[in-house]
Structure formats: structure tokens, C-alpha cells
Amino acid sequence: MSLIIQILIIFSMLIVQPAIASEQNNLETYIVHVESLDSQLSNDQSQDLEGWYNSFLPTTLASSNEIPRMVYSYHNVFPGFAAKLTYEEVKEMENKKGFLSARPQEEFSLHTTHTLNFLGLHENMGLWKDSSYGKGVVIGVLDTGILPDHPSFNDEGMPPPPAKWKGKCEFNFTACNNKIIGARYFQNGNGTPLDSDGHGTHTASTAAGNFVKGANVFGNANGTAVGVAPLAHLAIYKVCITSCSESDILAAMDTAIDDGVDVLSLSLGGSSKPFYDDNIALGAFSAMEKGIFVSCSAGNSGPFKFSLSNEAPWILTVGASTIDRKLRAVAVLGNNEELEGESAFQPKDFPSMQLPIVYPGLNISDFRAAYCTPSSLNNTDVKGKIVLCEIGGGTTRIAKGQAVKNAGGIAMILLNIERQGFSTAADSHVLPATNVNYEGTQKILAYINSTSTPTATIVFKGTVIGDKSAPMVASFSSRGPSRESPGILKPDIIGPGVNILAAWPISVENNSNTKSTFNIISGTSMSCPHLSGIVALLKSTHPDWSPAAIKSAIMTSADIVNLSDTLIEDERLVPANIFATGAGHVNPSKANDPGLIYDIEPRDYIPYLCGLNYTNRHISVILQRKVNCSVESSILEGQLNYPSFSIMFGSSSQTYTRTMTNVGEANATYTVNIVPPQGVSVTVKPPTLNFSDLNQKLTYEVTFRRLDTASNTTNSHGYLLWKSSKHSVRSPVAVFETKL
Ligand SMILES: *[C@@H]1O[C@H](CO)[C@@H](O)[C@H](O)[C@H]1NC(C)=O
Ligand SMILES: *[C@@H]1O[C@H](CO)[C@@H](O)[C@H](O)[C@H]1NC(C)=O
Ligand SMILES: *[C@@H]1O[C@H](CO)[C@@H](O)[C@H](O)[C@H]1NC(C)=O
Ligand SMILES: *[C@@H]1O[C@H](CO)[C@@H](O)[C@H](O)[C@H]1NC(C)=O
Ligand SMILES: *[C@@H]1O[C@H](CO)[C@@H](O)[C@H](O)[C@H]1NC(C)=O
Ligand SMILES: *[C@@H]1O[C@H](CO)[C@@H](O)[C@H](O)[C@H]1NC(C)=O
Ligand SMILES: *[C@@H]1O[C@H](CO)[C@@H](O)[C@H](O)[C@H]1NC(C)=O
Ligand SMILES: *[C@@H]1O[C@H](CO)[C@@H](O)[C@H](O)[C@H]1NC(C)=O
Ligand SMILES: *[C@@H]1O[C@H](CO)[C@@H](O)[C@H](O)[C@H]1NC(C)=O
Ligand SMILES: *[C@@H]1O[C@H](CO)[C@@H](O)[C@H](O)[C@H]1NC(C)=O
Ligand SMILES: *[C@@H]1O[C@H](CO)[C@@H](O)[C@H](O)[C@H]1NC(C)=O
Ligand SMILES: *[C@@H]1O[C@H](CO)[C@@H](O)[C@H](O)[C@H]1NC(C)=O
């Protein structure tokens, strides 16, 4: 299942619907931006918002058998609407006064038993206790809907919805309770908030599922399943079936802002775009202005550089890493070599005898054969054999297993390709299987090359806790730098996103005796709701913190070492690049007491956007009011009061200031420790900051200087660490050449 999501994300970059040139009757859903009604009032006092938007639609629409053109009227995310229009009609609309822009909508893709212990959250102590498990905070989840009667969504211990709550339950039966306090669907929702996919049920339960004992998949990963904020409320906005349309996402964000959510969690996204044309960024800006925290998945297009979704600085961009639990399944070859692998399906009765191996990929006249697509197996005799299948080729890992099973194969060994390195997936396979890493792939291919009768078996070793290499960045986790704003380090943070157990609407074991059904899947879609849940806990303990303050607390307290206390690695087992990890791995308990925060107010983004050289008109689209950059100040990206640094070396030296707010002890002295990136000198003035009050703000200046032009700053990174007797406030520093 997880690969479906990963593959979808990779392909999503390509699903851009072009404007259909000339067919008069070819209606498409366009997202249309117009000037705000307020700016028009002098012309016509009588107009209401709907009237203003309708005035842009073609007048010929009056005829009664026309299908309705207006899809959504937006009032929070930006002044504008979604409407079904032809290309010609849009051209005509462009001449109307107040029109700003229009383009066809795109389709976006969908990008825990043990996780909570791994994150250091324990019952009746620490952050869970302090935050009352996120009690009363409302997390809005934009996804594929939800299965409401799953035990993870029981409302035991839940307070009623907060007084401010205005949401609706659009299930046609009594499905909402004090856990699920809202459930809505949009155009693409098939008339129900019910989840027919599984992705939305999984992400919602990861963020805020209640306690369910004895959760497991095929007996593996057994334990108590619980979301990160088990007493937070869920508000469900179904915007996807298998993909998600932009007009629905915008309508959901527009509605969620009115409904009164505190956190928005979006495990979906498209490709990088200018922020004024990035509809999730636009909706998120309006949400942020109202104090709503927006947490989004970074995308599953790694390990390639510049592969991020959801890059805006007012969004938390979340990458994915492993936890210390493995569901081990070892491939034992005929030459006694043992190859580590993983699977969630681990049959007890699999024979230990050696079985013949077949590798359909040896047939060079059929290049698809290596991928075990259903039709490609027709030419290979797999009956009674263990089949080697390469990951990729547009077929999910589970579908490969189904194809092997249908063709009569006994078991499957899934082979990682080079770029996946040591990232493996424990899936709910339909036959005995294991996914080996790339080192294993090379060993097994060399072995089958060395003998005319290659054999193997799979030994299932069950759930093993304590993998000291965790957290390790997953190969699929999208990487920076940010395309749209390379001067802001992205992703911001990594969190658990590999082999995550959470609620699932159907039994992957075909067990019809239980409603307590779970599945294990992987993706940045899974790491995002972990962070959304953590944000809910922090909103509980610090209700007065702005979204930027919460983000700063999460980032400056993140871990940069793995469980064996050395730097976090990536799928190649080398220390991970800063554009893979951002600030590092989330540490919720430390985030609750960060000492200092880098705050950003909504108006601080104006000089930042002017500095991106966006036109006044483009910035007005983001801010929903007129902005004139010639009278605003304009700053470089690096000058935004962000908790991290991403330094592009064009010139040889750059100086920025940062302002920190004291949220720790009133009297505290902080001294800076500098670990400069290789080839760069970093100086900070003053090197000591003496705080004497809570909420006091103090400013420092930091200069980055390239030591000499010949020095190699590729992949170079370091950090600034402000230390007091009680707190460590760390800001990562990434450095790269402008001509990347
Ligand atoms: C409720 O919705 C489901 C799914 O859309 C539909 O099959 C069913 O007939 C509806 N039931 C009622 C009572 O409207
Ligand atoms: C899961 O754990 C619970 C309690 O620890 C135990 O009672 C149950 O039998 C276990 N289930 C499986 C399938 O291992
Ligand atoms: C492969 O076999 C399946 C079932 O065995 C069949 O449905 C399919 O048409 C075959 N495909 C090709 C390309 O022969
Ligand atoms: C290889 O694939 C080709 C084309 O699909 C098929 O005709 C041939 O029989 C296959 N050869 C073997 C050895 O499986
Ligand atoms: C298989 O053996 C041949 C000949 O010995 C060699 O050229 C080839 O590289 C080997 N392939 C692998 C995958 O080891
Ligand atoms: C992380 O953990 C692994 C396994 O314990 C260890 O070998 C490695 O040195 C650690 N450090 C890095 C860089 O990940
Ligand atoms: C569940 O049932 C489906 C449909 O009958 C089948 O294809 C699948 O292999 C079954 N899965 C398991 C784990 O038994
Ligand atoms: C904006 O334009 C100025 C002046 O042309 C230039 O120095 C600066 O690099 C540009 N900024 C960006 C982000 O492109
Ligand atoms: C923006 O401000 C400048 C400087 O005051 C002024 O010349 C210009 O007309 C303004 N532009 C708009 C669109 O108001
Ligand atoms: C902070 O230190 C000053 C001077 O040392 C002292 O007067 C003040 O009471 C202290 N404030 C707190 C809250 O401890
Ligand atoms: C902060 O206080 C220390 C002594 O506690 C002093 O040495 C230092 O100069 C002060 N720094 C600033 C910037 O005031
Ligand atoms: C800089 O270092 C990187 C990695 O350390 C290396 O790949 C690259 O070739 C080096 N570039 C130069 C110009 O030396």
C-alpha cells in the first residue's frame, strides 16, 4: 500500500492538466483569483461576495439546462472561486475588471503501536501528562475520509467539542462523537466522508487515535495502538479518493478555517510552485494568519535533490525516517548467505527447506519482467518457486506479490534498487515475502549468476525492537534545497514515517471477526500526522504560542544523532545531508521546553515576499490585500526570523540578524557555540545574551564568510547552538553554491 502512495506522488508531478485549447464544450475546473470585494465596494455597494464572483462567469450561462459552473466560492483562503469553464470563457474573463488569474486545477497525490515510545511519550508522565494528551485541541485532517466506527475513534475520556466549534458531520448516519467532531466531503468525495482507501483512516489515527489494546498486523508489531495526541478532536475533510483535486483542497481549507480547527494536517501535495500559485501555500497563509498551524508532508520523491512539496516558510514541511522496530524476514541463500529483509506478513508454517529461485529479470527481451507486473510473469515458469522482483516499474510491492501468487509462485524476494539503499518496507504481503536492501540485491544477483540451480528460503523472525540505526532517513523522503525559496532550509524536520502501524478500514488479513483492523504503511504521509499530533500537544501546553513559535520549538530542540549517538544517517548508511533532515528528528518533550523561540508574525512575511521579487499583484494574492513593495522594506530570504539558515554563496559574505524570545527562565544567560560548515567562517555578535525577563526579545547578528573562493562548500553544513545552564537552542546551517 505504501508504495502506491509513493508511486502516486512521483507520478503526481506529471499529472498537470493542460488547458484544453479550443473545444467549446470541454469544461474544466479552473481556480480563479479575483480582487477582494472590499476593494470594489466604492463601485457597487450592493454586491455580495457570491454576486461579485458570479459576475466573472460567462453571461450566456443563464439558460436553464446548462450545468452549474460555480464549483466553490472561497472566502478565507483567498478572494476567488473554482468554476467549470472552457478555455475561451477564461480568455474572455481575463478582460473583466478585478480579474487576477486563472488556471486549470491540478490533481495532487497522497503522499503505531511503538512509535510513541520511540518519541519518548509515556502514559501519565512528561509531555503527555502536561498536555493532557492534547485534550480539546482540534486537528483537521485533509485526506481520503475516515472509517468512523473503528475502535481508534472511540471517544472514551474525550471532552465535548470546544464552544468555538462550528463544524458539521456529513455522515448520513450517527457516526460523529467527541473524537470525530466533524466530517465533511467535497465534490470528489462520492457523497460521503467514508474512507474507501485507508490512507485517511491511517493518518487520522496516527495524529489523534484513541488507545486500542492488542493492535497488530498478522500478529506483528503487537501492542497498544494510539495516536500522538489521543485526547485531541478530529475534524475530517475528505478531499481525495485516490488523488486529490485542488479545488476540493481549497474548499476544505476554507471551511476548516471557519469551523475552528487548531491544526491542519495535509499528507498530500503537488510539485514546487511560486507561492502565489501554490494553492496549499495560499490556504496555509490564511490559516496561519488566524493562528492555525499547518503541517504538511514533504513528498515521497526522494532521494533526489529539489524534490520537495509544500515548501512555504509558513508551513511545517515534514520528511520521513525509521523507528527502531524491524519486522525481520531473512532470506537464506543456498550458499548459506543470510540477507536481512522485512515483511509484515510472516507465516508461521513456511517451510525451512531450500526452494528454487527464479529471476524473471534475466529475460533481457522483456525489460518489464524484472518488476513482476502481472502480464510480464506469463513468460516465466514461477510455479513452486521463490520469485525475485525488483521494486518499481509502476507496480506496487503488494501487487507484485499478488501477481507472483496468481502465477503460482510460492514466495517473493523484493529487491531494492540502488537509490533505495538500506531503506526497506515491511508490507502486508499476500504471500510469504521479504524486502531486502540493495546490498542484498547485489549479493543475490551474484549468487544466481554463480550457479545453475540457485535456491533460497525465507526465515521469519518477527518483531524486533532496538534497531540502533534509527532514526534513519527513508530513501523516498523528498529532499531540499527548496526550489521556490532556496534561502529557507527545507524540509524543516523529520519524524517517523517508515513501517507505521495505524488504523485501517478493512482487515488486511481477511479477518471478518474484528473491527479492530490495522495496517503498516510508509511515507511522508505517515510522518506528517505524527508532527500534527505533536503540534496539538504543544498547543495544549502553550496556547499562546504562534504557529511560528511552535515550529521554532520543534526545530531548535530536534535530535541530530541516532540511538547509538552518532549523526543520523540516510538510506546509504552515511551521515544524512541537511537537505534530507532539516533541523533533525523531532523530540517532543524537548520541544515543550525550548528555552528560546524564533517568532515570526504574519506581517514579517511581507518584506520576505518583496525580497523574492514577486510583483505587488502576486503578493496581494497571498496576503489578500494590496501591498506595494516600493513602500515596504524588502529583505533577503535569509533575513526572515527562521529557526534555521540556508546560505547560498553568491557573494563572499552575508550578514543576518535573528531575534529570540525568552520562554524559559526569566533570568538566563545564553552563550553561542558555533560549528561552522566546512570552508565557511561564522561569527556571532554578541556571543552572549543575558535575558532578565520572560518574553523578552534579544537580537544577534551572524556573519557567514566563505574562507576562500576555491574552498569546496558542497554538502557543507554546521550549526549555531545557544546554550544556557538549562537549554540548548540549535539552528542548523546549510551552505551551498548558487549554481547548484
Ligand atoms: C448512506 O451512504 C451510503 C454511502 O454513500 C449509501 O450507500 C447509503 O444508501 C446511505 N444511507 C442512507 C440511509 O441514506
Ligand atoms: C498482543 O499482546 C497482548 C498483550 O500484551 C496479548 O494478550 C495478545 O495475545 C498479543 N497478540 C498477539 C497476536 O500476539
Ligand atoms: C497473462 O496471464 C493473465 C492470467 O494468467 C492473463 O489474464 C493475461 O491476459 C496474460 N497477459 C499476457 C500479456 O499474455
Ligand atoms: C522472454 O520474453 C519473451 C518476450 O516476452 C518471450 O517470448 C520469451 O519466451 C521469454 N524467454 C524466457 C526464457 O522466458
Ligand atoms: C554474471 O556473470 C557474468 C559472467 O561471469 C558477469 O559478466 C556478470 O557481471 C555477472 N552478473 C552479476 C550480476 O554478477
Ligand atoms: C547509527 O547507528 C548505527 C547502528 O547502530 C551505527 O553503526 C552508526 O555508526 C550510527 N551512526 C550513524 C552515523 O548513523
Ligand atoms: C484476502 O482476500 C483476497 C480476496 O479473496 C485475496 O486476494 C487475498 O490474497 C487475501 N489475503 C490474505 C492475506 O489472505
Ligand atoms: C531580486 O532582485 C534583486 C535585484 O535585481 C536581486 O539582487 C535579487 O537576487 C533577486 N532576488 C531573488 C530571490 O531572485
Ligand atoms: C507604490 O509606491 C510607489 C512609491 O511611493 C508609488 O510611486 C507607486 O505608484 C505605488 N504603486 C501602487 C500600485 O500604488
Ligand atoms: C533576575 O536577576 C536579577 C538580578 O540578578 C534579580 O534582581 C531578579 O529578581 C531576578 N529575577 C528573577 C525572576 O529571578
Ligand atoms: C552578560 O552577563 C555576563 C555576566 O553574567 C557578562 O559577562 C556579559 O558581558 C553580559 N553580556 C551582555 C551582552 O550583556
Ligand atoms: C566538492 O565535494 C563534493 C563532495 O564532498 C565532491 O563530490 C565534489 O566533486 C567537490 N567539488 C570540487 C569542485 O572539488
Side-chain angles (χ1 to χ4, degrees):
M1 197 62 223
S2 51
L3 192 66
I4 297 186
I5 293 156
Q6 289 164 31
I7 285 175
L8 279 172
I9 289 223
I10 291 163
F11 290 155
S12 75
M13 306 302 169
L14 309 175
I15 312 176
V16 178
Q17 299 173 350
I20 307 272
S22 61
E23 291 166 64
Q24 183 59 250
N25 286 323
N26 213 330
L27 294 178
E28 270 196 278
T29 302
Y30 280 77
I31 310 282
V32 183
H33 290 270
V34 299
E35 283 176 9
S36 71
L37 180 58
D38 301 348
S39 66
Q40 307 298 316
L41 276 183
S42 50
N43 303 340
D44 181 358
Q45 292 287 347
S46 68
Q47 239 173 4
D48 64 0
L49 197 63
E50 297 290 318
W52 170 236
Y53 293 166
N54 275 316
S55 74
F56 289 90
L57 295 182
T59 43
T60 52
L61 292 183
S63 82
S64 56
N65 53 1
E66 278 272 7
I67 58 163
R69 299 301 191 87
M70 186 62 86
V71 181
Y72 295 111
S73 302
Y74 303 124
H75 60 281
N76 283 316
V77 289
F78 50 72
F81 54 91
K84 291 195 164 73
L85 297 165
T86 66
Y87 180 74
E88 286 74 16
E89 287 167 348
V90 173
K91 283 277 143 218
E92 213 165 287
M93 198 164 68
E94 285 173 4
N95 300 322
K96 297 201 174 161
K97 190 166 174 306
F99 171 91
L100 288 175
S101 70
R103 70 159 166 81
Q105 73 166 342
E106 295 178 16
E107 290 291 317
F108 288 167
S109 295
L110 295 164
H111 288 226
T112 134
T113 41
H114 179 63
T115 326
L116 286 305
N117 287 340
F118 183 66
L119 289 174
L121 294 170
H122 303 283
E123 270 186 81
N124 301 319
M125 55 191 284
L127 177 56
W128 252 6
K129 186 172 176 225
D130 293 349
S131 69
S132 308
Y133 306 89
K135 198 168 192 163
V137 177
V138 183
I139 305 178
V141 181
L142 273 66
D143 213 298
T144 63
I146 198 161
L147 178 74
D149 55 351
H150 190 281
S152 287
F153 308 119
N154 80 73
D155 66 355
E156 202 184 317
M158 298 287 311
K164 64 166 184 179
W165 181 244
K166 296 201 201 68
K168 276 211 186 98
C169 186
E170 297 176 344
F171 278 112
N172 63 1
F173 48 95
T174 320
C176 292
N177 57 13
N178 287 335
K179 168 57 73 183
I180 301 176
I181 60 171
R184 298 188 186 251
Y185 62 89
F186 296 85
Q187 295 269 315
N188 187 18
N190 272 357
T192 169
L194 205 58
D195 181 11
S196 55
D197 178 273
H199 192 269
T201 299
H202 201 275
T203 54
S205 67
T206 298
N210 216 328
F211 294 85
V212 182
K213 292 207 173 92
N216 63 72
V217 174
F218 297 109
N220 285 306
N222 186 31
T224 297
V226 59
V228 178
L231 295 189
H233 302 289
L234 284 167
I236 303 302
Y237 299 87
K238 181 179 178 182
V239 295
C240 319
I241 300 275
T242 49
S243 68
C244 331
S245 60
E246 273 186 299
S247 62
D248 282 0
I249 295 169
L250 284 169
M253 293 178 98
D254 212 59
T255 310
I257 291 170
D258 281 339
D259 286 352
V261 303
D262 300 304
V263 182
L264 277 171
S265 189
L266 284 81
S267 291
L268 51 89
S271 49
S272 173
K273 281 203 177 59
F275 299 139
Y276 54 81
D277 192 30
D278 175 340
N279 283 307
I280 293 179
L282 293 177
F285 194 91
S286 305
M288 174 276 295
E289 281 187 303
K290 297 184 169 71
I292 300 168
F293 192 104
V294 184
S295 158
C296 295
S297 49
N300 295 350
S301 304
F304 306 107
K305 279 189 210 169
F306 292 107
S307 56
L308 294 166
S309 295
N310 303 319
E311 301 176 324
W314 48 88
I315 288 175
L316 182 74
T317 313
V318 187
S321 49
T322 61
I323 56 174
D324 66 338
R325 178 185 65 205
K326 292 247 169 202
L327 306 184
R328 288 180 67 195
V330 180
V332 181
L333 307 183
N335 63 2
N336 289 325
E337 258 187 302
E338 298 198 354
L339 314 179
E340 287 274 326
E342 289 196 90
S343 173
F345 176 55
Q346 305 214 345
K348 300 266 179 297
D349 54 353
F350 192 68
S352 59
M353 67 192 188
Q354 291 279 324
L355 295 163
I357 303 180
V358 59
Y359 180 41
L362 285 180
N363 186 347
I364 50 166
S365 61
D366 182 0
F367 72 92
R368 296 158 308 152
Y371 298 124
C372 300
T373 59
S375 62
S376 74
L377 287 174
N378 292 18
N379 299 318
T380 313
D381 178 18
V382 304
K383 286 201 179 55
K385 295 180 182 165
I386 296 184
V387 184
L388 304 184
C389 300
E390 257 178 55
I391 289 177
T395 308
T396 68
R397 296 184 293 257
I398 290 181
K400 291 172 199 285
Q402 193 67 55
V404 168
K405 190 178 179 182
N406 293 349
I410 284 193
M412 169 174 72
I413 299 177
L414 274 171
L415 306 178
N416 264 12
I417 56 175
E418 184 171 6
R419 69 163 187 266
Q420 292 162 332
F422 287 83
S423 277
T424 52
D427 294 313
S428 302
H429 290 293
V430 298
L431 85 174
T434 185
N435 173 199
V436 298
N437 60 41
Y438 184 59
E439 192 177 86
T441 300
Q442 289 170 300
K443 283 184 180 160
I444 204 166
L445 292 184
Y447 165 66
I448 60 170
N449 209 10
S450 72
T451 168
S452 54
T453 55
T455 62
T457 190
I458 301 174
V459 179
F460 294 103
K461 302 212 162 164
T463 308
V464 182
I465 306 277
D467 176 12
K468 292 272 188 284
S469 70
M472 179 180 105
V473 180
S475 60
F476 59 76
S477 188
S478 286
R479 313 290 154 100
S482 160
R483 267 183 202 282
E484 189 49 24
S485 184
I488 300 288
L489 177 61
K490 290 278 174 174
D492 293 306
I493 195 82
I494 53 173
V498 178
N499 302 333
I500 302 303
L501 181 143
W504 200 249
I506 55 157
S507 165
V508 294
E509 309 169 27
N510 294 336
N511 176 356
S512 54
N513 293 329
T514 178
K515 282 190 159 181
S516 191
T517 49
F518 294 88
N519 199 3
I520 292 177
I521 58 176
S522 302
T524 52
S525 283
M526 282 66 247
S527 54
C528 164
H530 277 96
L531 268 294
S532 308
I534 291 164
V535 169
L537 300 178
L538 298 175
K539 279 236 169 201
S540 259
T541 50
H542 302 285
D544 55 327
W545 283 6
S546 70
I550 293 177
K551 179 199 268 187
S552 172
I554 290 173
M555 288 173 64
T556 61
S557 63
D559 292 328
I560 58 170
V561 295
N562 70 13
L563 290 181
S564 44
D565 250 354
T566 40
L567 290 173
I568 291 173
E569 296 180 336
D570 66 14
E571 72 286 347
R572 298 165 300 170
L573 300 190
V574 300
N577 190 281
I578 197 165
F579 293 113
T581 59
H585 189 265
V586 61
N587 185 325
S589 306
K590 284 207 268 164
N592 191 36
D593 183 18
L596 303 173
I597 51 181
Y598 293 88
D599 208 353
I600 301 175
E601 291 190 32
R603 66 165 180 271
D604 298 335
Y605 291 107
I606 298 173
Y608 161 79
L609 293 167
C610 289
L612 285 179
N613 295 339
Y614 287 177
T615 62
N616 290 337
R617 188 166 154 147
H618 285 147
I619 298 175
S620 302
V621 168
I622 301 171
L623 269 93
Q624 303 193 44
R625 59 191 162 82
K626 284 219 184 320
V627 172
N628 184 351
C629 283
S630 357
V631 298
E632 301 284 346
S633 58
S634 169
I635 57 170
L636 294 172
E637 295 158 77
Q639 179 58 32
L640 187 67
N641 202 38
Y642 215 70
S644 57
F645 295 90
S646 179
I647 306 300
M648 296 177 285
F649 272 124
S651 58
S652 60
S653 128
Q654 295 175 30
T655 299
Y656 299 108
T657 58
R658 286 287 187 276
T659 299
M660 302 190 293
T661 309
N662 183 19
V663 296
E665 287 76 39
N667 277 338
T669 296
Y670 282 85
T671 306
V672 74
N673 296 13
I674 301 170
V675 174
Q678 190 195 333
V680 177
S681 95
V682 181
T683 49
V684 171
K685 284 194 288 198
T688 303
L689 292 171
N690 297 330
F691 289 90
S692 55
D693 258 319
L694 272 184
N695 297 318
Q696 184 187 357
K697 290 180 191 287
L698 289 177
T699 296
Y700 68 88
E701 189 180 277
V702 53
T703 300
F704 302 94
R705 199 171 283 110
R706 199 208 303 243
L707 287 176
D708 66 77
T709 48
S711 69
N712 186 350
T713 55
T714 316
N715 284 343
S716 182
H717 57 265
Y719 56 82
L720 298 186
L721 177 68
W722 288 93
K723 249 181 122 48
S724 73
S725 57
K726 295 221 169 67
H727 294 103
S728 291
V729 186
R730 191 181 157 278
S731 285
V733 178
V735 170
F736 61 102
E737 306 294 326
T738 37
K739 48 176 191 307
L740 251 185

